[in-house]
Amino acid sequence: MTEHPPKPRIFISHASSDSWVARQLEPHIRGCGADTFLDCEHIEHGDDFEDKIIDAANNCTELLVLFTPTSRDRKYVWLEIGMYLGVRKRIVAALYGVRKEEIASDQLTPVALKRIDSVDLNEIDSYLSQLQRRVEDWRLRNG
């Protein structure tokens, strides 16, 4: 018996100060037919934050990083990127207030992030179109 790949589920990584923007992305991702994980929506008071993040990373198929001037300095954002790099899952950076050129020229930015596919938040529709195509492909394969 062959195992079906999981339905696309997107882990939305962001700095807590960027939660409003991350919350605006979530319904668009769900509108593509994908499931989401957003910490401010799926982690409750009293939950073990790190356990929930690790479980979500294991259960999500890809990472969408809201990469902003604030998030680029947040340890949890880098932890989440590292988890996805380690298991070779898709990572897309949605740039908001940060340009690709800045990332490429910043000596403190790890090479791994420089290699990650990125899209300016103003062009997020291109990512959403690709995601919708992946969800449709998943549905065709899994009935």
Side-chain angles (χ1 to χ4, degrees):
M1 181 174 206
T2 59
E3 187 176 315
H4 294 290
K7 179 181 180 185
R9 185 170 191 218
I10 315 307
F11 185 118
I12 305 170
S13 176
H14 65 286
S16 59
S17 61
D18 297 326
S19 292
W20 187 87
V21 178
R23 286 177 192 217
Q24 302 313 300
L25 289 170
E26 187 179 35
H28 293 282
I29 293 168
R30 287 187 175 279
C32 293
D35 293 332
T36 59
F37 173 82
L38 183 59
D39 63 357
C40 52
E41 297 290 330
H42 296 101
I43 297 178
E44 297 181 5
H45 297 292
D47 286 346
D48 184 313
F49 184 81
E50 288 182 10
D51 280 348
K52 289 288 188 175
I53 293 293
I54 293 167
D55 286 346
N58 287 331
N59 295 320
C60 288
T61 58
E62 66 187 77
L63 178 69
L64 177 64
V65 180
L66 180 57
F67 202 69
T68 67
T70 303
S71 69
R72 73 189 303 175
D73 295 327
R74 294 299 186 261
K75 291 177 184 168
Y76 275 106
V77 170
W78 288 107
L79 172 71
E80 292 156 3
I81 291 170
M83 287 189 293
Y84 279 80
L85 282 170
V87 294
R88 300 184 185 273
K89 290 183 182 179
R90 180 186 307 273
I91 301 171
V92 176
L95 307 179
Y96 186 60
V98 178
R99 294 184 349 265
K100 288 180 186 183
E101 300 79 21
E102 291 175 71
I103 294 170
S105 64
D106 183 356
Q107 294 180 356
L108 297 177
T109 299
V111 173
L113 184 63
K114 294 177 183 182
R115 293 192 326 248
I116 291 172
D117 188 23
S118 62
V119 60
D120 187 273
L121 193 59
N122 290 319
E123 305 294 325
I124 196 69
D125 287 345
S126 65
Y127 167 75
L128 295 171
S129 295
Q130 292 171 6
L131 174 60
Q132 187 165 14
R133 188 176 63 244
R134 286 194 300 278
V135 170
E136 289 169 4
D137 289 347
W138 178 85
R139 284 185 179 140
L140 287 172
R141 287 191 312 269
N142 297 289

